[in-house]
Amino acid sequence: MKYPFHVEHTEVSRLSSVDFSNLQFGKLYGDHMFVAECRKGKWTDCRIIPFGNLPFSPASSALHYGQIIFEGMKAFKNAERNALLFRPEMNFKRFNISAQRMAMPEVPLDLWLDSLHELVHMDQEWIPKEQGCSLYLRPFMFAMDRFIGVRPTEFFKFLIITSPAGLYYPKPVKVMTTAKYVRAFEGGVGFAKAAGNYGASMLPLREAIEKGFEQILWTDGNEHKYIQEIGTMNVFFVIDGVAITPELDGTILDGVTRDSVIQLLKHHGTKVEERKISIDEVFDAHQKGILQDAFGTGTAASISTISHIEHKGNMIALPPVNEIPFSVKLKDELEGIKSGALPDIFNWMVKVQSKLLVEAE
Ligand SMILES: Cc1ncc(COP(=O)(O)O)c(C=O)c1O
């Protein structure tokens, strides 16, 4: 291995205490985690160690200025009990795009893949077998310089933690627009998976939840006219047989699920348009009876049907789930590919393999 790993096994596994039949999202963590450091551009000290708290200085710059980026991925098990990763190089590319924007070091591909493979291999018994469940993987990096002046930093920690997870949105979601807040402007950090994007969305999200919605459907900051994305997902609308999703204009995340859904839709002969779509176009289509479906796409959320959209006090209800032609079928197909139940026609799945195990033999 290009980056040597030190491995320390947990003394007592917590696995037997997990109720896999009742998993919620983001509440439990696997036995081990991966930790590495980057000092002045050099990656060192790669370790797989028991999951636990980290000691660091209260002056660490990430705590003050938010130089923190992350990814969200999932590991699955197929019928042969092989652990599988879904398109890990897509997350690698996006992580480094986020790193670049936040003046952080890029993670080398070898380090990215080796850390994921070794960690998932070690904690593979944590991958749930239950339908719709998976092992959520959270790679993240933050600035560690012990300095509270504002300047680009030189010392970073990169970690991966894992979490056995059920469905993020167990039922169709209600979303609302807001003209009070903006998620991202061109030239900002909307395309990066930077922690601050999510921190800034907490107040709007809390207000939306208090009104009975699951999420905000973000619109552009100039006119609040064009749809961007949902707080945790990219968004698609099916109008008169055409699937429309906002183009990648620098304000939204280049979602791995978005890309996969576009490929699946095209494979089935559905026309896909990546372009500006206004909230008025969606409401007009609903009035004309040609808005067939609306759904969000994301790793945690998979494909979530949208049941209601509110805009400027007007609410539209989408057709009931059993009449929906696209999102439910797409979700079954995508989840089927991920779990190995359906053929992997796009070669998206990567079998987890341990180089450490091979080296030890
Ligand atoms: C803001 C936002 N947009 C889109 C997505 C979907 O991206 P992906 O499909 O890569 O998970 C996510 C989830 O990670 C997200 O947080």
Side-chain angles (χ1 to χ4, degrees), residues 94 183 193 198 229-234 253 255-257 297-299:
R94 191 171 65 192
R183 179 185 178 275
K193 224 163 154 57
Y198 298 80
E229 62 182 335
I230 299 175
T232 47
M233 303 184 275
N234 294 109
L253 210 65
V256 178
T257 321
T297 63
T299 298

Side-chain angles (χ1 to χ4, degrees), residues 70-73 86 90-91 94 136 138 168 183 190 192-193 197-198 218 228-235 251-260 296-302 338:
F70 68 98
E71 269 304 322
M73 313 169 61
F86 181 69
M90 289 279 289
N91 297 88
R94 191 171 65 192
Y136 185 77
R138 168 54 60 88
Y168 200 87
R183 179 185 178 275
K193 224 163 154 57
N197 283 338
Y198 298 80
W218 292 104
Q228 292 180 330
E229 62 182 335
I230 299 175
T232 47
M233 303 184 275
N234 294 109
V235 67
T251 66
I252 65 170
L253 210 65
D254 182 357
V256 178
T257 321
R258 176 187 182 278
D259 181 80
S260 310
T297 63
T299 298
S302 182
K338 289 177 176 179

Side-chain angles (χ1 to χ4, degrees), residues 151-350:
R151 64 154 195 221
T153 29
E154 293 183 329
F155 176 25
F156 297 87
K157 257 196 197 306
F158 169 58
L159 285 94
I160 308 174
I161 56 175
T162 70
S163 174
L167 289 176
Y168 200 87
Y169 297 117
K171 54 183 179 51
V173 294
K174 286 169 86 171
V175 297
M176 58 172 278
T177 62
T178 173
K180 191 171 160 194
Y181 303 108
V182 179
R183 179 185 178 275
F185 270 101
E186 279 149 41
V189 293
F191 64 90
K193 224 163 154 57
N197 283 338
Y198 298 80
S201 73
M202 294 302 171
L203 176 64
L205 178 60
R206 188 169 71 192
E207 290 180 7
I209 290 171
E210 280 165 4
K211 288 183 186 154
F213 295 87
E214 271 81 25
Q215 269 293 346
I216 304 272
L217 177 62
W218 292 104
T219 47
D220 75 279
N222 296 312
E223 300 173 86
H224 287 294
K225 180 174 171 185
Y226 294 105
I227 293 167
Q228 292 180 330
E229 62 182 335
I230 299 175
T232 47
M233 303 184 275
N234 294 109
V235 67
F236 286 74
F237 301 92
V238 183
I239 298 179
D240 207 11
V242 180
I244 304 161
T245 190
E247 64 198 348
L248 300 174
D249 62 356
T251 66
I252 65 170
L253 210 65
D254 182 357
V256 178
T257 321
R258 176 187 182 278
D259 181 80
S260 310
V261 162
I262 290 173
Q263 290 193 46
L264 276 174
L265 284 165
K266 288 184 176 168
H267 176 73
H268 290 304
T270 303
K271 190 169 175 211
V272 181
E273 290 178 359
E274 295 177 66
R275 63 164 169 86
K276 282 192 186 308
I277 176 164
S278 70
I279 186 73
D280 292 340
E281 182 178 344
V282 173
F283 272 59
D284 278 356
H286 181 261
Q287 208 171 26
K288 289 184 189 140
I290 54 172
L291 176 62
Q292 294 163 286
D293 199 356
F295 54 93
T297 63
T299 298
S302 182
I303 295 174
S304 290
T305 305
I306 294 171
S307 64
H308 295 82
I309 307 173
E310 198 223 53
H311 175 59
K312 290 187 179 164
N314 297 318
M315 176 100 92
I316 57 172
L318 278 288
V321 169
N322 56 8
E323 290 172 24
I324 287 175
F326 289 89
S327 49
V328 173
K329 276 192 222 153
L330 272 174
K331 180 178 176 185
D332 289 348
E333 189 171 8
L334 186 60
E335 294 306 306
I337 293 173
K338 289 177 176 179
S339 67
L342 293 178
D344 179 18
I345 48 174
F346 300 100
N347 285 325
W348 284 335
M349 305 312 295
V350 177

